[in-house]
């Protein structure tokens, strides 16, 4: 734990937050002793990351329109980016994984690294507050911004821009299931216009499943 703390330049007051952030569900399920996985931490970390990234881009680009800010943000917090940030600190080396995940290379799987990175953000936030979490996140965002080329196609933002042309309509994303073993899970999402399904998609992470659903919706509209 001390080695990881040195890598992230943050020392925990309560290491139980760090332990939970590093505990994958496969490990917790195998132990079956009340150990908590990082799934709830991931949920919180995703929101904290979104706030920090949004404010950072808002302040860095005061003249950039909302649509471009959304696309830029999506490219910075996509699975590829977050798993890359996790790899920079060798986060996979510190994860508690089940036997199956360990044998199948879970420590290097992008979706697991993405979830662990978001969980680590949540752990720092719970232990040290928003400013400490911001320091941690910006340590990755600033260098990424300096070398960033936006090549990520943000179908969700494009679809949102299309739907916003009619103020009476709204869309939301619903996860309808997952399949496969823990080490190779595939998520399925639907995008709904009001209450009607207009696209379905699958992906190795929930974010990629949402993007795939939005892509299908755009294609069915003749815009893909």
């Amino acid at each position: 734990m001390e080695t990881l703390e040195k890598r992230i330049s943050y020392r925990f007051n309560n290491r139980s937050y760090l332990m939970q952030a590093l505990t994958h569900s496969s490990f917790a399920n195998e132990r079956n002793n009340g150990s908590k996985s990082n799934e709830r931490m991931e949920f919180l970390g995703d929101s904290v990351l979104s706030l920090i990234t949004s404010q950072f881009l808002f302040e860095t680009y005061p003249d950039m329109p909302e649509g471009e800010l959304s696309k830029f943000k999506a490219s910075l917090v996509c699975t590829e980016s977050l798993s890359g940030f996790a790899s920079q600190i060798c986060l996979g080396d510190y994860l508690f994984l089940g036997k199956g995940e360990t044998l199948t290379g879970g420590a290097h799987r992008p979706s697991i690294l993405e979830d662990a990175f978001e969980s680590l953000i949540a752990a720092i936030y719970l232990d040290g507050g928003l400013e400490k979490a911001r320091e941690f996140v910006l340590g990755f965002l600033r260098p990424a911004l300096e070398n960033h080329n936006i090549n990520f196609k943000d179908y969700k933002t494009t679809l949102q821009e299309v739907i916003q042309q009619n103020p009476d309509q709204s869309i939301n994303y619903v996860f309808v299931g997952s399949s496969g073993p823990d080490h190779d899970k595939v998520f399925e999402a639907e995008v709904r216009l009001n209450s009607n399904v207009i696209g379905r998609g699958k992906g190795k992470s929930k974010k990629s499943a949402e993007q795939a659903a939005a892509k299908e919706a755009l294609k069915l509209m003749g815009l893909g």
Side-chain angles (χ1 to χ4, degrees):
M1 295 299 125
E2 290 183 5
T3 304
L4 179 57
E5 288 177 328
K6 290 179 181 178
R7 284 185 180 276
I8 66 176
S9 300
Y10 181 78
R11 185 174 182 82
F12 281 83
N13 298 301
N14 184 347
R15 280 192 175 169
S16 65
Y17 290 131
L18 178 58
M19 291 291 292
Q20 185 176 348
L22 299 175
T23 302
H24 188 259
S25 58
S26 61
F27 182 89
N29 293 337
E30 283 185 5
R31 285 299 179 93
N32 195 28
N33 60 358
S35 298
K36 294 182 179 180
S37 75
N38 61 9
E39 290 179 343
R40 281 171 52 85
M41 302 281 276
E42 174 208 343
F43 167 78
L44 177 60
D46 179 71
S47 297
V48 175
L49 173 64
S50 179
L51 172 61
I52 293 170
T53 306
S54 296
Q55 183 178 358
F56 175 60
L57 292 176
F58 182 82
E59 294 174 348
T60 303
Y61 298 104
D63 299 320
M64 184 178 285
E66 183 269 342
E68 292 302 309
L69 285 172
S70 295
K71 292 176 183 178
F72 209 157
K73 175 185 171 185
S75 69
L76 283 172
V77 300
C78 67
T79 300
E80 181 180 358
S81 294
L82 297 184
S83 62
F85 296 159
S87 295
Q88 289 178 29
I89 55 174
C90 302
L91 188 57
D93 294 346
Y94 302 93
L95 297 181
F96 297 101
L97 301 171
K99 293 179 180 178
E101 286 291 356
T102 300
L103 291 174
T104 55
H108 305 289
R109 188 168 295 113
S111 59
I112 289 180
L113 290 175
E114 173 192 15
D115 293 347
F117 188 78
E118 290 178 333
S119 299
L120 181 57
I121 293 171
I124 295 173
Y125 169 75
L126 291 170
D127 188 74
L130 181 59
E131 287 309 310
K132 291 297 182 182
R134 192 190 312 277
E135 289 177 15
F136 174 71
V137 171
L138 293 185
F140 296 92
L141 293 188
R142 287 195 177 103
L145 195 63
E146 293 175 0
N147 306 301
H148 204 68
N149 293 315
I150 300 179
N151 52 18
F152 171 74
K153 183 68 174 177
D154 185 9
Y155 298 104
K156 288 181 64 177
T157 298
T158 301
L159 180 61
Q160 184 67 38
E161 290 171 348
V162 172
I163 300 302
Q164 283 178 341
Q165 296 177 19
N166 188 336
D168 296 329
Q169 296 180 333
S170 62
I171 58 173
N172 68 298
Y173 294 84
V174 179
F175 291 101
V176 294
S178 61
S179 59
D182 286 342
H183 67 271
D184 193 25
K185 195 173 289 295
V186 175
F187 297 92
E188 183 174 1
E190 293 179 346
V191 56
R192 299 177 181 179
L193 177 61
N194 297 327
S195 59
N196 301 312
V197 177
I198 60 172
R200 294 183 176 89
K202 294 182 178 181
K204 292 293 188 179
S205 68
K206 292 180 179 179
K207 288 180 181 179
S208 61
E210 289 180 340
Q211 288 289 343
K215 180 180 180 180
E216 181 180 84
L218 290 167
K219 183 177 180 179
L220 293 174
M221 292 177 181
L223 301 172

